[in-house]
Amino acid sequence: MTAGLELSGVTKRFGENTIVQGIDLVANPGEFIVLVGASGCGKSTILRMIAGLETVTEGRIMIKGRDVTHARPDQRDIAMVFQSYALYPHMSVAENMSFALSLTRTSKSEITRRVAEAAHILGIEPLLERKPKALSGGQRQRVAMGRAIVREPSVFLFDEPLSNLDAKLRAQMRVELALLHKRLGKTTVYVTHDQVEAMTLANRIVILERGVIQQIGTPGEVFNRPRNLFVAGFIGSPGMNMFKGVLTAADVVVLDGSRATVRLARPVHGPPGAAVVLGVRPQGLALAEGADAVLRMQVKVAEYLGTETVITGALAGSGEAVTSSVSGDHGGVAGTEIGLSIDPKHLHVFDAESQLNLVQ
C-alpha cells in the first residue's frame, strides 16, 4: 500500500543552525498525524516543508508515492489551513473558498458544486455572501477549512488552526475537526502545542524536541509507555512527577532524600545500584494514612476543579515538587502534611544517564 505521505531523512538548516534533523515519518492513507512539541522544536518548519513553503536541505518528501521534494506548492496536491485564517477581506466567503480553484481550469459549475458541498459539510451555507469582517473567529476558521476542502487534496495540513479561539470554541472545533476527518478520510498532518488537541484528534502523535523525533505512537502509547524522560514530562496534564532515586533491586527503587521505598509492579531492565528517575502520574498518587502512605507531602496548594482536586506541594525529606490528582473536594488540605500511596500501574523508571524508560 502506497503511503499517504512519507518523509525520509528530511533535514532543514538555516545557515549553521539545524532546525530539523533527519526526520523519518510515514503517514498511512487517511491517517491523522499530529506533530507536538515546545516552541522552536521544528514542527511548523516540517509542515512548511511538506507544503513547499520551505526548501528541504536534505532528504525526500513523497505524497502518494510521488516525489514532491522540489515541487512547487501548487504541484503537491495539498491544502493548508493557517493559524491566521489568511482570508481576503474584500472577498465574500464563497469567493474566498473558490479563489484557488478559479485560478485553474476548473469549470464554474464544478467550483459551484464544490463550494456548496464544503459549505454544507461545515454548516456555513448562510454565510456565503458575507465578508470576513462580518464573521466570528469560529466562522472564519470554518471558511479557512472550507477553502482547503474545495481543493479536494490528497493531504490536509493544519498549522495550529485553533490557537486563536477561546477555550469553549476550541473544544467545539476539535469535535468538528474529528468529524470532518472521519467524513473526508484524507491524510492529515496537524501541528499544535496543545496536548488536548493532540490526544483527542490524532491516530498517532509525533513528539519533537529540537528538531528530533522523540517518539511516535498512538495517544495511549505515548501516555502509558513514554519512551524517555522528555516524552514522559511533556505528555500529560498535570505533568508526571519525577523523583530521583536508586534501583536497589530489579523491582525496588529507594528515593533520594526521603529514603522512601517504592516497590514496582514488575522487574525492570537495569543493574542494582543504578541511578534512576521514578516517574508517577498525578493520578497514581492517592491520599493515604498509616502503612499505605509511601510518601509524605507538605501541601502548598489544593485546587478544586469540580470532579477532582489537584494537590501541589513538596515531598517530605527531599523538597522535590509533587502533584496529586484525586477525586472529590479536598481543598481543606492546603497547609497540612498528608500521606500518599502509589498505584504501581502508574509507575515508570527512567535511567538517569540515558533517560530511557526501563519499564517495558
Side-chain angles (χ1 to χ4, degrees):
M1 179 174 64
T2 302
L5 172 71
E6 184 174 359
L7 278 63
S8 301
V10 171
T11 297
K12 178 63 179 179
R13 284 190 288 270
F14 292 101
E16 296 182 355
N17 296 321
T18 301
I19 307 302
V20 176
Q21 303 183 45
I23 296 295
D24 293 316
L25 175 64
V26 176
N28 298 317
E31 190 171 20
F32 200 121
I33 297 289
V34 177
L35 307 181
V36 295
S39 297
C41 71
K43 55 187 185 294
S44 290
T45 301
I46 294 171
L47 200 74
R48 291 175 63 83
M49 286 192 288
I50 296 171
L53 302 177
E54 293 283 0
T55 58
V56 175
T57 306
E58 295 174 11
R60 185 178 65 172
I61 298 174
M62 307 279 288
I63 294 178
K64 295 184 73 173
R66 184 168 64 93
D67 191 335
V68 299
T69 310
H70 304 293
R72 298 197 314 264
D74 62 327
Q75 297 174 328
R76 297 192 177 211
D77 197 17
I78 59 95
M80 188 166 180
V81 178
F82 296 90
Q83 176 181 354
S84 61
Y85 316 140
L87 302 178
Y88 295 108
H90 63 287
M91 292 184 181
S92 69
V93 167
E95 289 168 338
N96 266 284
M97 291 172 64
S98 64
F99 181 68
L101 294 178
S102 68
L103 298 178
T104 67
R105 296 182 179 180
T106 307
S107 67
K108 288 186 177 180
S109 61
E110 178 65 9
I111 291 175
T112 300
R113 181 193 69 79
R114 292 194 193 183
V115 169
E117 183 177 353
H120 176 70
I121 290 171
L122 295 166
I124 57 173
E125 293 159 298
L127 309 178
L128 289 175
E129 300 307 316
R130 295 188 189 179
K131 298 288 177 59
K133 66 181 180 181
L135 304 178
S136 67
Q139 289 169 337
R140 293 180 189 180
Q141 190 54 271
R142 287 185 180 88
V143 175
M145 289 192 288
R147 182 175 54 191
I149 291 171
V150 298
R151 298 182 65 176
E152 298 183 352
S154 294
V155 177
F156 282 109
L157 305 176
F158 289 89
D159 190 6
E160 303 203 35
L162 308 185
S163 60
N164 290 333
L165 305 179
D166 61 52
K168 184 176 180 180
L169 193 51
R170 278 203 308 272
Q172 178 184 338
M173 290 300 294
R174 281 200 308 269
V175 174
E176 293 187 14
L177 273 168
L179 293 173
L180 179 64
H181 176 255
K182 185 176 181 180
R183 179 167 184 169
L184 299 177
K186 299 284 185 158
T187 304
T188 300
V189 182
Y190 187 104
V191 162
T192 184
H193 64 277
D194 189 311
Q195 287 187 42
V196 176
E197 287 178 30
M199 295 292 284
T200 55
L201 290 172
N203 296 128
R204 285 189 298 155
I205 298 174
V206 179
I207 302 169
L208 293 148
E209 182 190 24
R210 298 179 183 178
V212 176
I213 292 177
Q214 299 297 314
Q215 186 170 354
I216 302 175
T218 65
E221 287 170 346
V222 298
F223 184 84
N224 295 311
R225 297 190 295 278
R227 180 176 178 271
N228 57 32
L229 268 173
F230 177 81
V231 175
F234 187 82
I235 294 294
S237 181
M240 183 182 287
N241 295 289
M242 304 291 187
F243 306 130
K244 295 178 181 179
V246 175
L247 189 68
T248 59
D251 62 348
V252 176
V253 173
V254 175
L255 302 186
D256 295 350
S258 68
R259 307 305 298 169
T261 299
V262 180
R263 191 164 295 278
L264 309 177
R266 59 182 182 274
V268 298
H269 302 286
V276 297
V277 176
L278 187 75
V280 56
R281 298 283 181 196
Q283 298 80 4
L285 296 177
L287 298 176
E289 292 298 337
D292 294 331
V294 179
L295 305 176
R296 303 296 299 180
M297 169 191 185
Q298 187 66 41
V299 179
K300 295 181 180 179
V301 178
E303 300 171 292
Y304 177 54
L305 303 179
T307 58
E308 64 178 348
T309 299
V310 177
I311 304 172
T312 304
L315 195 64
S318 69
E320 291 175 292
V322 57
T323 300
S324 173
S325 178
V326 295
S327 61
D329 183 0
H330 297 278
V333 300
T336 67
E337 185 173 285
I338 61 174
L340 296 170
S341 64
I342 300 178
D343 184 345
K345 297 194 298 293
H346 290 272
L347 284 177
H348 299 272
V349 182
F350 302 91
D351 181 83
E353 183 175 353
S354 70
Q355 300 196 350
L356 293 177
N357 196 342
L358 301 176
V359 178
Q360 301 296 332

